[in-house]
Amino acid sequence: MIIDEQLARQVVTKRQANSHKGTYGRVLLIGGFYPYGGAIIMSALACVKSGAGLVTVATERDNITALHAHLPETMAFDCEDKELFEENLIKADVVLVGPGLSENSKASRVFKQVLEKVSEHQSLIIDGSALNLLAKTMPLSFNTDHLVLTPHQKEWERLSGLAISEQTVDNTRKALENFPKETILVAKSHRTQIFQDQLLAEFTVGGPYQATGGMGDTLCGMIAGFVAQFRKNYFDSVAVATYLHSYIADQLSKEAYVVLPTTISAALPKVMKQLSE
Amino acid sequence: MIIDEQLARQVVTKRQANSHKGTYGRVLLIGGFYPYGGAIIMSALACVKSGAGLVTVATERDNITALHAHLPETMAFDCEDKELFEENLIKADVVLVGPGLSENSKASRVFKQVLEKVSEHQSLIIDGSALNLLAKTMPLSFNTDHLVLTPHQKEWERLSGLAISEQTVDNTRKALENFPKETILVAKSHRTQIFQDQLLAEFTVGGPYQATGGMGDTLCGMIAGFVAQFRKNYFDSVAVATYLHSYIADQLSKEAYVVLPTTISAALPKVMKQLSE
Amino acid sequence: MIIDEQLARQVVTKRQANSHKGTYGRVLLIGGFYPYGGAIIMSALACVKSGAGLVTVATERDNITALHAHLPETMAFDCEDKELFEENLIKADVVLVGPGLSENSKASRVFKQVLEKVSEHQSLIIDGSALNLLAKTMPLSFNTDHLVLTPHQKEWERLSGLAISEQTVDNTRKALENFPKETILVAKSHRTQIFQDQLLAEFTVGGPYQATGGMGDTLCGMIAGFVAQFRKNYFDSVAVATYLHSYIADQLSKEAYVVLPTTISAALPKVMKQLSE
Amino acid sequence: MIIDEQLARQVVTKRQANSHKGTYGRVLLIGGFYPYGGAIIMSALACVKSGAGLVTVATERDNITALHAHLPETMAFDCEDKELFEENLIKADVVLVGPGLSENSKASRVFKQVLEKVSEHQSLIIDGSALNLLAKTMPLSFNTDHLVLTPHQKEWERLSGLAISEQTVDNTRKALENFPKETILVAKSHRTQIFQDQLLAEFTVGGPYQATGGMGDTLCGMIAGFVAQFRKNYFDSVAVATYLHSYIADQLSKEAYVVLPTTISAALPKVMKQLSE
């Protein structure tokens, strides 16, 4: 299956007049621990600008000012504030954990708590260092079937046991059977593929102007935003978010040697508007 | 009564040559307590860009850097600095309390102090969590008749006792009788209505691209800015501020799937200029 | 004497090919004490964007992050770091003291130190709360003749003893005799006048769209930048900086109901380029 | 040898489809110590926007928020965190030390550690105060031949012993013999020259609109970005980065009296795109 503008137009539909913030989902983003504070800022920019209803960031206290300098639109708190953390974890429709989470003991504790507290009505997106933390604790069971994994090749190696050279479609499909059946895998590479059970989606957009730090943080923020808003078909939502990330980079690359992640987020409202018409 | 561009043009008039900062009012904005720091930043952006003469923000110390990163044009201090707080509370022409205030004991204390210290020559706008704090202490008397309340439906439920399904025009009018006669109620919903005694104003602009976090913080900041500047007719000023918030969102939505609150504030100087001509 | 575009073109001349940072002056800006941190940020933006060679800001530690979020081009340190303060005070060609300095004991101490350490080869610009501090200690002698005072009417009242209604040209000239003969007075009002001995300059640009907080901070930052660069004729430099501040506001007001101070600074490089051709 | 657009086009080539972040290099930037925090922010902006694969900043904790307010795309940590420092120093392909490093004992310690830990597969760029620290410890041996020095005239005087008036091509070549044979010297002045052994490159772009604080910090950040990406010919990469810095300033000066360093970085993606076609 090739993801193209037509599928994007099917996912990014015109909003209903009678809707409100709640209609577009509560998203909780967890990460940005020192020294990776910037990562969760990029995820938040992508998530808010893709149209999620209400975006909250659980990070470290020191990171909140920089986040708010970019994005006063988010609520933000210290992961160590247990009450806020639990309350927001429970209220969220979508939880993204991992961008700049690091792999230290605090990160492990936070990640473990997420896995324990998440429930079946919630979508859980696992990215970056949280994938490495997951690799260390597999096999385990998940409280939700709405699982999205966004590993690059090295992270997928740790998670699946497949060396990069062995990461064929068949092998990856097989490895994916260790996860809940509806798990969506965004296998990132210079030719990213999206898997779910027997489904496989690819696209032809994207290029080497995306080879710069922070692209993954932006991508998973977009996926969180899309899953929060477009719940009819999770696979299509994830696939289109991933496609659009590269599609926008393509557009921007006409006037940029390197496409910075934050410029992709900045372009989201306009591009999504065009698709929705 | 339908608010339209014509009324907006009557309110947003050309400035008098012989005027100065004081002519356009001193506004004190109170809120942005952890973890809601971004809220008061959005209110301040809206207030300054709508043209208030002098805008001061009472928040938490930790929130000042992010505020100044957006808006060095504001003075900002820690709510806990009693002397600064009292001094600025007394000097203000307009006080807005509530955006990101939260409902903890510090918030209660601050809100109580505002209710006590505010005097009849001042306008008081109560928004967000301050409305919930108010609901807990009603009935009470107010030191000023220039009162603006900006609840969304749930907040109005708490304040009026009317379940959302019961919030008809008649019921809301009746509930409003518990407040000083000149109180202006901005009853926010996907079809916002503005009440004052027997007056009722509505408008036809606005849409679901506004369904994103921070819209309310921006709206009450605009109302504060308008009340500070356009004092001939408070009801019209509040009505036009509310109308313009959605009017600008409409304009921006032509090129944006979701309209971020801060982009509405950014558009204010240009749109108000056009209306004033 | 009417300041106009012609005089502006005489002052803002094309730069010499063989020049370097030092040619355009070292400026030290002092102020931005809590709760007025934003003031010195606006002065710094104006000073850097008007082309000063090297701009250093002495403020409070807490204010440095917001400043650098706007302007990494400045060096910035805590006024309380005596060694840095003295070293930079001595090295500066131009010292601006006052924007957001406040009038507490720390401010008094800092201001006193400036008056003591400044020497005759340096230009000293006194603005805002530093003018009030000065009023308290007058009469005194100054170590430099290159003095610029930028009071608004109330500050000039405190400094000169002249009630606002008495601030005629003749009375102001007379009061100015209490200062060194070459002292330049920028008497700010809605019809700002610039005095030096028997010289008097005025202009016809500017308007009520400038009636918003931070205008004065931006103006004195521009004056510092102009004095640092254009030393042939101090009076003309100060006069043209003041003129340009309102001239740019005029231009911007064609598309803005209120002209924010930071937007004036942002327009400086382009407008000055046009004048220099 | 004159550096011109043709050489720039040879260096800034189209990226290979099959590439990833690693292809474009890991860069570690070290500096921005109080009171020079802004310096490393400008270097980082230049480095990221020139297309380096992954940029990490070692600075002081207090400087991270301002950096991330500009550039969440960078990872950033406190130089004093030994583990992070060593780990990132070893992983880097390119190390830039010096922008805003200052010359105090901490700076000395950090610089010494860099000289000790750097290895022959790494490029080392020494700028600003690190050049003064180097001058104090010369002669010494270097662990890598890929050395770039970016002194202005006064720094070169300290490093070479040549008074500014003695800094002729011949004398500078001779002094350069005290460094490893492949060392590239960017001798900054209003007529910057780039040396390597018997090579000498110059260019005719650039002008006095560049005479403002932070230009050097931006230049060395660009050099780091170019060295990280374009490794076929180090001399050409450094020469073209230096050329482009002034070339872009030239372009921007058509609409700006003074060209701020950060505006050069902002223009990089577009200009490099044009060159790569």
Side-chain angles (χ1 to χ4, degrees):
Chain A
M1 164 185 176
I2 297 296
I3 317 168
D4 57 9
E5 216 180 285
Q6 200 187 339
L7 185 65
R9 287 180 183 278
Q10 283 170 31
V11 166
V12 184
T13 47
K14 213 164 172 300
R15 288 184 163 193
Q16 297 301 312
N18 208 334
S19 61
H20 56 89
K21 274 188 292 195
T23 315
Y24 306 109
R26 278 179 178 275
V27 184
L28 178 63
L29 310 177
I30 307 168
F33 290 4
Y34 174 83
Y36 308 105
I40 207 75
I41 295 175
M42 289 187 281
S43 300
L45 281 165
C47 191
V48 167
K49 298 202 173 182
S50 67
L54 205 61
V55 179
T56 300
V57 176
T59 183
E60 285 173 347
R61 192 95 185 202
D62 280 357
N63 197 32
I64 294 177
T65 293
L67 171 67
H68 278 157
H70 287 277
L71 206 58
E73 283 89 351
T74 51
M75 202 188 97
F77 63 86
D78 189 332
C79 254
E80 301 280 37
D81 284 347
K82 287 196 201 317
E83 208 175 326
L84 279 169
F85 190 68
E86 292 208 11
E87 176 192 330
N88 280 282
L89 194 49
I90 288 164
K91 277 196 299 191
D93 300 304
V94 178
V95 177
L96 162 61
V97 62
L101 188 73
S102 88
E103 299 179 37
N104 59 26
S105 61
K106 181 165 85 169
S108 294
R109 205 170 61 239
V110 165
F111 183 58
K112 204 178 149 207
Q113 210 177 340
V114 170
L115 290 182
E116 279 170 14
K117 290 275 160 60
V118 88
S119 63
E120 59 181 325
H121 74 280
Q122 297 179 304
S123 299
L124 177 61
I125 303 164
I126 306 179
D127 178 73
S129 31
L131 290 163
N132 297 335
L133 292 171
L134 181 62
K136 289 176 190 166
T137 50
M138 285 287 288
L140 50 70
S141 65
F142 295 90
N143 298 334
T144 178
D145 291 338
H146 304 299
L147 203 65
V148 182
L149 310 173
T150 56
H152 56 55
Q153 292 170 302
K154 201 69 201 165
E155 288 161 348
W156 185 230
E157 180 180 304
R158 289 186 202 108
L159 206 53
S160 68
L162 295 168
I164 294 178
S165 61
E166 298 168 342
Q167 295 176 5
T168 61
V169 168
D170 284 348
N171 286 342
T172 286
R173 261 192 190 132
K174 193 143 194 177
L176 196 51
E177 289 172 7
N178 294 323
F179 294 86
K181 194 174 175 184
E182 294 176 42
T183 299
I184 298 170
L185 173 73
V186 180
K188 297 185 294 191
S189 73
H190 69 281
R191 282 202 47 191
T192 294
Q193 295 177 313
I194 300 121
F195 294 86
Q196 186 188 39
D197 195 8
Q198 294 310 305
L199 290 172
L200 171 59
E202 298 175 288
F203 48 81
T204 58
V205 289
Y209 33 80
Q210 289 172 272
T212 189
M215 275 295 161
D217 306 311
T218 296
L219 173 57
C220 65
M222 284 179 64
I223 290 174
F226 272 60
V227 167
Q229 290 174 85
F230 312 117
R231 300 177 211 174
K232 219 187 296 179
N233 182 325
Y234 282 112
F235 183 76
D236 284 2
S237 293
V238 173
V240 166
T242 311
Y243 161 79
L244 223 53
H245 179 262
S246 287
Y247 171 90
I248 292 173
D250 257 27
Q251 306 268 327
L252 296 177
S253 77
K254 286 171 193 163
E255 297 214 331
Y257 187 74
V258 63
V259 174
L260 293 198
T262 46
T263 63
I264 293 179
S265 296
L268 271 165
K270 187 165 183 179
V271 171
M272 289 176 71
K273 172 66 180 179
Q274 289 163 348
L275 292 173
S276 74
E277 280 177 333
Chain B
M1 167 185 174
I2 297 296
I3 318 168
D4 58 8
E5 217 180 286
Q6 201 187 338
L7 185 65
R9 288 180 183 278
Q10 282 170 30
V11 167
V12 184
T13 48
K14 213 165 173 296
R15 290 184 162 192
Q16 297 301 312
N18 208 334
S19 61
H20 55 89
K21 275 188 291 194
T23 315
Y24 305 109
R26 279 178 177 274
V27 185
L28 178 64
L29 310 175
I30 307 169
F33 290 3
Y34 174 83
Y36 308 105
I40 207 75
I41 295 175
M42 289 186 280
S43 300
L45 281 165
C47 191
V48 168
K49 299 203 173 181
S50 67
L54 204 62
V55 179
T56 300
V57 177
T59 183
E60 285 174 347
R61 191 95 185 202
D62 280 357
N63 197 32
I64 295 177
T65 294
L67 170 67
H68 278 157
H70 287 276
L71 206 57
E73 282 88 351
T74 51
M75 201 188 98
F77 62 85
D78 189 332
C79 254
E80 302 279 37
D81 284 348
K82 286 194 203 316
E83 207 177 327
L84 279 169
F85 190 67
E86 292 208 10
E87 177 192 330
N88 280 281
L89 194 49
I90 289 164
K91 278 196 297 190
D93 300 304
V94 179
V95 176
L96 163 62
V97 62
L101 187 74
S102 88
E103 300 180 37
N104 59 26
S105 61
K106 181 165 84 168
S108 295
R109 206 170 59 239
V110 164
F111 182 58
K112 202 177 149 209
Q113 209 176 341
V114 169
L115 291 182
E116 280 170 13
K117 290 277 160 60
V118 88
S119 63
E120 58 181 325
H121 75 279
Q122 297 179 304
S123 299
L124 176 62
I125 303 163
I126 305 179
D127 178 72
S129 31
L131 291 163
N132 297 334
L133 292 171
L134 181 62
K136 289 175 192 166
T137 51
M138 284 289 287
L140 51 70
S141 66
F142 294 91
N143 298 332
T144 177
D145 291 338
H146 304 299
L147 203 65
V148 183
L149 310 173
T150 57
H152 55 56
Q153 293 169 301
K154 201 69 199 164
E155 288 161 349
W156 184 231
E157 179 179 306
R158 288 185 203 109
L159 207 52
S160 66
L162 296 168
I164 294 179
S165 61
E166 298 169 340
Q167 294 176 3
T168 60
V169 167
D170 284 347
N171 287 342
T172 286
R173 264 195 189 130
K174 193 143 192 175
L176 197 52
E177 289 172 8
N178 294 322
F179 294 86
K181 194 174 173 184
E182 294 177 40
T183 299
I184 298 169
L185 173 74
V186 180
K188 297 185 295 191
S189 74
H190 69 281
R191 281 202 48 191
T192 294
Q193 296 177 312
I194 299 119
F195 294 85
Q196 187 188 39
D197 195 7
Q198 294 309 307
L199 291 172
L200 171 60
E202 298 175 289
F203 47 82
T204 58
V205 290
Y209 33 81
Q210 288 172 272
T212 189
M215 275 295 161
D217 306 311
T218 296
L219 173 57
C220 65
M222 285 179 65
I223 291 173
F226 272 60
V227 167
Q229 289 174 85
F230 311 117
R231 299 175 213 175
K232 221 186 296 179
N233 182 325
Y234 281 114
F235 183 75
D236 284 2
S237 293
V238 173
V240 166
T242 310
Y243 161 79
L244 224 53
H245 178 262
S246 287
Y247 170 90
I248 293 174
D250 257 27
Q251 305 268 327
L252 296 177
S253 77
K254 286 171 193 163
E255 298 214 332
Y257 187 73
V258 63
V259 174
L260 294 197
T262 47
T263 64
I264 293 179
S265 296
L268 271 165
K270 187 166 184 180
V271 171
M272 289 176 71
K273 172 66 181 178
Q274 289 163 350
L275 292 173
S276 73
E277 280 177 333
Chain C
M1 167 185 173
I2 298 296
I3 318 169
D4 58 9
E5 216 180 286
Q6 201 187 337
L7 184 67
R9 287 180 184 278
Q10 282 170 30
V11 166
V12 184
T13 48
K14 213 166 173 294
R15 289 186 162 191
Q16 297 300 313
N18 208 334
S19 61
H20 55 90
K21 275 188 290 194
T23 314
Y24 305 110
R26 280 177 176 275
V27 185
L28 178 64
L29 310 176
I30 307 169
F33 290 4
Y34 174 82
Y36 308 105
I40 206 74
I41 295 175
M42 289 186 282
S43 300
L45 281 165
C47 190
V48 168
K49 298 202 174 181
S50 67
L54 205 61
V55 179
T56 300
V57 176
T59 183
E60 285 175 346
R61 192 95 185 202
D62 279 358
N63 198 32
I64 295 177
T65 293
L67 170 69
H68 279 156
H70 288 276
L71 207 56
E73 282 89 350
T74 50
M75 201 187 100
F77 63 86
D78 189 332
C79 254
E80 302 278 39
D81 285 348
K82 288 194 201 318
E83 208 177 326
L84 279 169
F85 189 68
E86 293 208 9
E87 177 191 329
N88 280 281
L89 194 49
I90 288 164
K91 278 196 297 190
D93 300 304
V94 179
V95 176
L96 163 61
V97 62
L101 187 74
S102 87
E103 299 180 37
N104 58 25
S105 62
K106 182 164 83 169
S108 295
R109 205 171 61 239
V110 164
F111 182 58
K112 203 179 148 206
Q113 211 177 341
V114 169
L115 290 182
E116 280 171 13
K117 290 277 159 59
V118 87
S119 62
E120 58 180 324
H121 74 280
Q122 298 179 303
S123 299
L124 176 62
I125 302 163
I126 306 180
D127 178 73
S129 31
L131 291 164
N132 297 335
L133 293 171
L134 181 61
K136 290 175 191 166
T137 50
M138 285 288 287
L140 52 67
S141 65
F142 294 91
N143 299 333
T144 177
D145 292 337
H146 304 298
L147 203 65
V148 183
L149 310 173
T150 57
H152 55 56
Q153 293 169 300
K154 200 70 199 161
E155 289 161 349
W156 184 231
E157 179 179 306
R158 289 185 202 109
L159 206 52
S160 67
L162 295 168
I164 294 180
S165 61
E166 299 169 341
Q167 295 177 3
T168 61
V169 168
D170 283 347
N171 286 341
T172 286
R173 261 194 191 131
K174 192 143 192 175
L176 197 51
E177 289 172 9
N178 294 321
F179 294 86
K181 194 173 175 185
E182 295 177 40
T183 298
I184 299 170
L185 173 74
V186 180
K188 298 185 293 191
S189 74
H190 69 280
R191 280 201 48 189
T192 295
Q193 297 177 311
I194 300 120
F195 294 85
Q196 188 188 38
D197 195 9
Q198 294 310 307
L199 290 173
L200 170 60
E202 297 176 288
F203 47 82
T204 58
V205 291
Y209 32 81
Q210 288 171 272
T212 189
M215 275 296 161
D217 306 310
T218 296
L219 173 57
C220 65
M222 284 179 66
I223 291 173
F226 272 60
V227 167
Q229 291 174 83
F230 312 117
R231 299 176 212 175
K232 222 186 294 179
N233 182 325
Y234 281 113
F235 182 76
D236 284 2
S237 294
V238 173
V240 165
T242 310
Y243 162 79
L244 224 53
H245 179 261
S246 287
Y247 172 90
I248 292 174
D250 257 26
Q251 306 268 326
L252 296 177
S253 78
K254 287 172 193 163
E255 298 213 330
Y257 187 73
V258 63
V259 174
L260 294 196
T262 47
T263 64
I264 293 180
S265 296
L268 271 166
K270 188 166 182 180
V271 171
M272 290 177 70
K273 173 66 181 179
Q274 289 163 350
L275 292 173
S276 74
E277 280 177 333
Chain D
M1 167 185 174
I2 298 296
I3 318 168
D4 58 10
E5 216 181 286
Q6 201 187 339
L7 185 66
R9 288 180 183 278
Q10 282 169 31
V11 166
V12 184
T13 47
K14 213 166 173 295
R15 289 185 161 191
Q16 297 299 313
N18 208 334
S19 60
H20 55 90
K21 275 188 291 195
T23 315
Y24 305 109
R26 279 178 178 274
V27 185
L28 178 63
L29 310 176
I30 307 169
F33 290 4
Y34 174 82
Y36 308 105
I40 207 74
I41 295 175
M42 288 186 281
S43 300
L45 282 164
C47 190
V48 167
K49 298 202 173 181
S50 68
L54 205 62
V55 179
T56 301
V57 176
T59 183
E60 286 174 347
R61 192 94 184 204
D62 279 357
N63 198 33
I64 295 177
T65 293
L67 171 67
H68 278 157
H70 287 277
L71 207 57
E73 283 88 350
T74 51
M75 201 187 100
F77 63 86
D78 188 332
C79 253
E80 301 278 38
D81 285 348
K82 289 197 200 316
E83 208 175 325
L84 280 169
F85 189 68
E86 292 207 11
E87 178 192 328
N88 280 282
L89 194 50
I90 289 164
K91 277 196 298 192
D93 299 305
V94 178
V95 176
L96 163 61
V97 63
L101 188 72
S102 87
E103 299 179 39
N104 58 25
S105 61
K106 181 164 86 170
S108 295
R109 206 170 60 239
V110 165
F111 182 57
K112 203 178 149 206
Q113 211 176 339
V114 170
L115 290 182
E116 279 171 14
K117 290 278 160 58
V118 88
S119 63
E120 59 181 324
H121 73 280
Q122 297 179 305
S123 299
L124 176 62
I125 303 163
I126 306 179
D127 178 73
S129 31
L131 290 164
N132 297 336
L133 292 170
L134 181 61
K136 290 176 190 166
T137 50
M138 285 287 287
L140 51 67
S141 66
F142 294 91
N143 298 333
T144 176
D145 292 337
H146 304 298
L147 203 65
V148 183
L149 309 173
T150 57
H152 55 55
Q153 292 169 302
K154 201 69 200 162
E155 289 161 349
W156 185 230
E157 179 180 305
R158 288 185 203 110
L159 207 51
S160 67
L162 295 168
I164 294 178
S165 61
E166 298 169 340
Q167 295 177 6
T168 62
V169 168
D170 283 349
N171 286 341
T172 285
R173 261 193 190 130
K174 192 142 192 176
L176 197 51
E177 288 172 10
N178 294 322
F179 295 86
K181 194 173 175 185
E182 295 177 40
T183 299
I184 299 169
L185 173 74
V186 179
K188 297 186 294 193
S189 74
H190 69 280
R191 281 202 46 193
T192 294
Q193 296 177 313
I194 300 119
F195 294 86
Q196 187 188 39
D197 196 8
Q198 294 309 306
L199 291 172
L200 170 59
E202 298 175 287
F203 47 81
T204 58
V205 289
Y209 32 82
Q210 289 172 272
T212 189
M215 275 295 161
D217 306 310
T218 296
L219 173 57
C220 66
M222 284 178 65
I223 291 173
F226 272 60
V227 166
Q229 291 174 83
F230 312 117
R231 301 177 211 173
K232 221 187 293 179
N233 182 326
Y234 282 113
F235 182 76
D236 284 2
S237 294
V238 173
V240 165
T242 311
Y243 162 79
L244 223 53
H245 178 261
S246 287
Y247 171 90
I248 292 174
D250 257 27
Q251 305 267 327
L252 297 177
S253 77
K254 286 172 193 163
E255 299 213 330
Y257 187 73
V258 63
V259 174
L260 294 196
T262 47
T263 63
I264 293 179
S265 296
L268 271 165
K270 188 165 183 181
V271 171
M272 289 177 71
K273 172 66 179 180
Q274 288 163 349
L275 292 173
S276 74
E277 278 177 334

